[in-house]
Amino acid sequence: VIDAGLSPESHDARTANVVAAITPPTPTEPFDIIILEAKATKSLPHDVLKESYATYQRWEPLCAAIETFGGHEAFFYWIAATFPDMRIRKLGKDFSRNAKHKRIIGFWGSYPAQGRVYIHRTLHMDLVDELISYPNGKTVDLLDAAGYLPTIWAPPNPIPGD
């Protein structure tokens, strides 16, 4: 998931790239979510383009997805035209009240409580810091990007039982 921070004039705007893997479910256990990469950087739009594609190449996901509203719509077409081999799609738009908070709580409130999210604490300190300080932290870029994961993932086929 790419949450592009395309406002260089903002001191807090960062681009968040979150990559997750889903484990196959078993007959008795649901799938788990492994955060493979969670990185937020303050970047100019051209650098966002390069960083997003580098992340895509590193992990070779089934797809990449990006928020598309305002200038992000143009960014979607820019990245699709620049990297035609990148399987990129638009994330659904939600303009409802508190949409970001609902997305964050929807993911971070349920899956971790079930013990189904795995994060390497030392590799993803920005994500851990955002999670610990939510909702009073300075940024929520990574939490918000991860909140979109359930809208795009495709759980693998179950592992057959014995």
Side-chain angles (χ1 to χ4, degrees):
V1 172
I2 304 163
D3 185 354
L6 300 177
S7 303
E9 66 279 356
S10 170
H11 296 293
D12 295 328
R14 301 183 309 165
T15 294
N17 283 300
V18 175
V19 182
I22 307 296
T23 63
T26 68
T28 59
E29 295 293 325
F31 61 87
D32 287 327
I33 303 126
I34 302 165
I35 304 296
L36 300 172
E37 184 169 324
K39 181 173 67 172
T41 57
K42 184 165 178 53
S43 307
L44 295 172
H46 186 266
D47 295 325
V48 172
L49 185 80
K50 292 189 305 188
E51 289 170 17
S52 297
Y53 189 65
T55 299
Y56 180 84
Q57 287 184 305
R58 183 169 34 263
W59 294 105
E60 299 179 8
L62 295 175
C63 72
I66 186 169
E67 276 187 315
T68 54
F69 61 91
H72 294 78
E73 186 81 20
F75 186 78
F76 167 81
Y77 289 106
W78 183 25
I79 200 168
T82 305
F83 303 111
D85 62 320
M86 188 173 183
R87 294 177 303 276
I88 187 142
R89 57 183 278 200
K90 296 177 184 181
L91 290 166
K93 294 179 177 86
D94 183 356
F95 298 111
S96 67
R97 186 168 188 229
N98 297 320
K100 185 179 288 200
H101 175 72
K102 288 186 239 176
R103 216 174 14 255
I104 291 169
I105 294 301
F107 180 79
W108 292 104
S110 59
Y111 295 103
Q114 298 169 23
R116 294 175 51 201
V117 177
Y118 295 87
I119 304 167
H120 194 287
R121 282 180 274 206
T122 56
L123 289 179
H124 307 305
M125 275 310 298
D126 280 352
L127 176 60
V128 172
D129 288 345
E130 282 188 10
L131 191 54
I132 290 168
S133 62
Y134 187 79
N136 300 314
K138 185 177 177 183
T139 62
V140 294
D141 307 309
L142 294 165
L143 296 179
D144 184 33
Y148 278 112
L149 290 171
T151 69
I152 64 165
W153 66 36
N157 292 327
I159 296 172
D162 292 333

